[in-house]
Amino acid sequence: MTGAATPPGLGFLAPFADAGIFGAGELQLCATFARTLPGLEDEALLGLAVAARGPRLGHVCVDLGDAHRLVADRDGEAAGSLPWPEVDRWVAALARSPIATDPGHALVPPLCPVVLDGRRVYLQRYFADELLVADRLVERAAFREPAGPAGPAGVGSDADLEAALEAAFGPDDPTDPDLQRRAARVALSGNLAVIAGGPGTGKTRTVAGLLAAALEMADRRSQRLRVALAAPTGKAASRMTEAVHRSLAGDGDGGGLGATVAAALVDQPALTIHRLLGARPGGSFRYGAGNPLPHDLVVVDETSMVSLPLMSALLDSLRPDARLVLVGDPFQLTSIEAGSVLADVVAAGTGSDPDGGASGGTGPGPLTGRVTVLERSWRFGAESDIAALAGAVRVGDAAGALDLLRDPDRPGVTWIDGSHDGALVALVDEVIAAGAAVVDAAQTDEVARGLDAMRQVKVLAATRQGPAGMLAWGRTIEDALADRMPGLRAGVRWYIGRPVMVTANDQLNRLDNGDTGLVVRHGDGVAVAFPGAVEPRFVPTAKLDRVETWWAMTIHKSQGSEFPHVVVSLPAATSPILSRELLYTAVTRASQRVTVVAGEDALRAAIGRPVMRASGLQERLRA
């Protein structure tokens, strides 16, 4: 394989560039410092390249003793054969280099590009972000509500708090503790709470309940509680808003809450974190340490998708007395950018790795008692086939997962490998039939039925391209529908019955990246119907330019979604995208049934390959 061209004078980096370890960005960075600081040792420049490469692969830092694995996004064994320096010599060269500094001087001007912390190398800005996140979380975890009357961010006496929790969750049963109630109590008796759990474990109900309790307390005191609901993406924010409102609606006319509290909850929309912080062109934010957010309570959903730099910006923007509640599933796919903040926080707070299943924390550390892991799934029972498969994938039990998929008495999970051509044909027919129901509803002007039908069966592909990718599935479905339904006119972009997904935030049309709709007749023209709070909302096709056909979608885009039947399509075992978290995320999008289309080697590769995200955050939070 031929990699990026190595700049003159950096021949020692050529083997790494040829192997694809470093790209043009890392090589040019090293060339710049080599010109600026003549005489830099080769090992120091290699350390700079490693520190710069790590964040591109999701790492906050890189352990020099494990660099061959952490910076190789394909074949770690092949990378191990490259001429890496001996670790102690490498560390020593960086330690005496003018481009690196130690943690004690990392924030002291003039700043060095590299921070060397033991054997770990960081780019300076990622070290600063990690240190800020750790320090702020520990400070928040140490706060406890003072006794006596409370201000707007407080909740008052224990008796008042328990009364509010009872109104929101019902009476406490000491013999059968309600973890949702407990999580809400943690959130309202301190400045930091983490609510973790898999799909359907009641995270949203817990958030709705703690909001209800907090707002009820403020209403009793005739005080205004300023609440912000946020998520890392526009779609996740929309889903959070819908889910909280749906949870409230499930309690009848407000679950016995006061009218003011119920109205406040219903009128509370979630924002993206960037929008909450007032993102500006160039990457800066309106709100920060010098201009904190005005909110008393901030709840962040889908925290597994929040990168370290974004979490740093969020924590830097909060008032010291504001409450922060982080919500999410630590086993899902992590942020596209560097960091695995939620997984690190949950591990530090429970005293074990996230899949240890501890609730509330048993290990010593500053975050002990601030993390609650919800364990009971309400979406599907603990004994369901989907729950069993998700559990096996989560803990890396490939043999157990394959046994479940092979078991004919497990109708909720099905496996189709390359040798089952007949089964694959039957599955494709089922997917096409589901698509035909969507088109039929759209063509007969049954918009609500069409919007519901397009969510019944969904293909989730690991990749966009390739024979098992999203685009290939979409073409197969669309071509088959065109053959079966002559009036479809699949060659026309805006054909009636085309499901679409928005691919970029669209403030003009009040649409978020990931919103889905259906092309229908509307008035004298054609529009896309999007689900609304009460009835569908129609947007003329002429106003939409950032959309793609939604017969299938990538697993990454599916986070936060739920479908009755999910078809999981995996590429060959050699694909670097396969991971345990990817498969777990796909499987847990289903509420009734999962069909996995993959070879056995691909399944074993995915289950046996947890995402590696190197950072020092968990260690700092345990200290």
Side-chain angles (χ1 to χ4, degrees):
M1 177 173 59
T2 302
T6 306
L10 297 179
F12 68 95
L13 290 177
F16 301 92
D18 291 342
I21 298 297
F22 302 131
E26 293 86 31
L27 295 173
Q28 291 303 321
L29 178 66
C30 289
T32 298
F33 276 94
R35 288 194 303 270
T36 306
L37 299 170
L40 283 176
E41 296 180 65
D42 291 350
E43 289 89 347
L45 288 168
L46 180 60
L48 173 63
V50 165
R53 180 62 174 170
R56 292 178 182 266
L57 299 177
H59 306 301
V60 175
C61 60
V62 175
D63 186 319
L64 294 180
D66 208 18
H68 67 283
R69 286 196 312 127
L70 295 176
V71 298
D73 60 350
R74 290 182 176 85
D75 190 345
E77 291 186 10
S81 65
L82 293 170
W84 300 99
E86 188 274 326
V87 176
D88 289 342
R89 180 165 59 88
W90 198 359
V91 170
L94 268 170
R96 59 178 173 261
S97 168
I99 65 172
T101 189
D102 60 82
H105 297 86
L107 307 182
V108 179
L111 300 177
C112 289
V114 175
V115 177
L116 179 65
D117 186 3
R119 301 198 320 179
R120 292 196 295 253
V121 289
Y122 295 77
L123 287 184
Q124 192 276 340
R125 71 184 185 96
Y126 287 98
F127 180 85
D129 284 339
E130 183 176 280
L131 200 62
L132 185 148
V133 169
D135 288 348
R136 297 293 169 83
L137 288 176
V138 169
E139 290 168 3
R140 291 186 167 280
F143 176 87
R144 293 295 182 272
E145 181 70 28
V155 294
S157 68
D158 279 350
D160 290 341
L161 175 56
E162 290 303 324
L165 291 173
E166 183 162 343
F169 292 94
D172 193 18
D173 182 357
T175 64
D176 184 20
D178 181 349
L179 289 180
Q180 295 180 14
R181 191 181 196 274
R182 180 201 175 280
R185 194 184 200 292
V186 170
L188 297 175
S189 59
N191 276 4
L192 175 68
V194 181
I195 303 171
T201 51
K203 298 188 295 293
T204 300
R205 179 181 181 274
T206 305
V207 169
L210 75 86
L211 289 173
L215 289 164
E216 180 73 12
M217 298 283 302
D219 188 47
R220 289 181 185 177
R221 300 194 304 268
S222 297
Q223 293 177 331
R224 179 191 175 199
L225 185 71
R226 291 163 294 188
V227 177
L229 306 180
T233 67
K235 184 58 178 175
S238 296
R239 288 170 183 149
M240 184 185 192
T241 301
E242 294 166 4
V244 170
H245 292 177
R246 193 164 56 242
S247 181
L248 179 63
D251 292 330
D253 61 356
L257 302 175
T260 302
V261 174
L265 283 175
V266 169
D267 292 339
Q268 185 65 55
L271 306 173
T272 64
I273 298 174
H274 283 82
R275 186 174 175 186
L276 175 68
L277 297 181
R280 293 167 167 159
S284 64
F285 296 101
R286 174 187 175 190
Y287 292 101
N291 181 33
L293 288 165
H295 303 92
D296 306 303
L297 172 62
V298 177
V299 183
V300 180
D301 198 15
E302 297 289 356
T303 309
S304 66
M305 299 167 64
V306 179
S307 67
L308 180 75
L310 186 56
M311 181 61 72
S312 174
L314 174 64
L315 289 168
D316 201 35
S317 73
L318 297 177
R319 299 196 329 255
D321 63 332
R323 300 182 187 281
L324 175 65
V325 181
L326 303 177
V327 185
D329 184 348
F331 311 114
Q332 280 196 56
L333 287 165
T334 52
S335 164
I336 295 176
E337 298 179 59
S340 52
V341 176
L342 182 63
D344 288 340
V345 170
V346 171
T350 59
S352 64
D353 289 334
D355 59 11
S359 298
T362 56
L367 268 58
T368 298
R370 309 313 300 172
V371 178
T372 304
V373 180
L374 304 177
E375 297 168 328
R376 179 179 177 182
S377 177
W378 300 89
R379 179 181 299 179
F380 33 73
E383 301 304 317
S384 80
D385 302 338
I386 297 173
L389 177 60
V393 172
R394 188 186 72 195
V395 299
D397 182 4
L402 292 171
D403 286 344
L404 287 165
L405 289 168
R406 291 189 179 106
D407 190 344
D409 295 326
R410 294 278 191 173
V413 294
T414 306
W415 176 25
I416 300 175
D417 63 22
S419 63
H420 294 159
D421 292 340
L424 182 58
V425 170
L427 173 66
V428 172
D429 284 344
E430 181 181 351
V431 172
I432 292 169
V438 176
V439 175
D440 178 72
Q443 292 184 341
T444 56
D445 298 328
E446 298 177 78
V447 177
R449 180 168 73 89
L451 290 172
D452 179 66
M454 71 180 191
R455 303 191 65 84
Q456 294 304 304
V457 180
K458 190 57 58 181
V459 176
L460 306 185
T463 61
R464 288 182 61 87
Q465 307 289 341
M470 179 197 86
L471 296 178
W473 274 97
R475 285 191 298 269
T476 297
I477 297 167
E478 197 167 61
D479 290 347
L481 290 174
D483 290 340
R484 296 186 186 190
M485 310 177 80
L488 185 67
R489 297 192 302 153
V492 178
R493 184 186 185 198
W494 297 108
Y495 62 84
I496 304 300
R498 177 194 178 200
V500 297
M501 172 182 283
V502 178
T503 58
N505 291 336
D506 182 352
Q507 293 186 10
L508 180 64
N509 292 308
R510 294 182 292 119
L511 294 171
D512 293 316
N513 187 349
D515 281 345
T516 55
L518 181 63
V519 179
V520 297
R521 281 183 289 267
H522 185 64
D524 295 329
V526 177
V528 177
F530 291 94
V534 178
E535 57 186 21
R537 184 166 64 90
F538 299 91
V539 178
T541 57
K543 293 185 176 182
L544 296 170
D545 61 344
R546 304 290 293 276
V547 300
E548 64 184 9
T549 305
W550 192 54
W551 292 119
M553 68 190 304
T554 63
I555 296 170
H556 279 83
K557 279 278 192 178
S558 75
Q559 289 192 91
S561 299
E562 178 183 338
F563 308 100
H565 181 193
V566 163
V567 177
V568 182
S569 180
L570 300 183
T574 54
S575 173
I577 199 171
L578 289 175
S579 72
R580 185 179 303 169
E581 291 78 3
L582 185 84
L583 182 55
Y584 171 85
T585 298
V587 167
T588 54
R589 298 312 92 207
S591 59
Q592 299 175 17
R593 183 178 160 207
V594 173
T595 302
V596 179
V597 182
E600 179 175 340
D601 54 350
L603 276 169
R604 289 187 179 278
I607 296 171
R609 189 186 297 162
V611 171
M612 292 190 299
R613 286 288 176 101
S615 84
L617 180 60
Q618 184 182 149
E619 180 180 313
R620 296 184 199 284
L621 292 174
R622 289 181 187 270

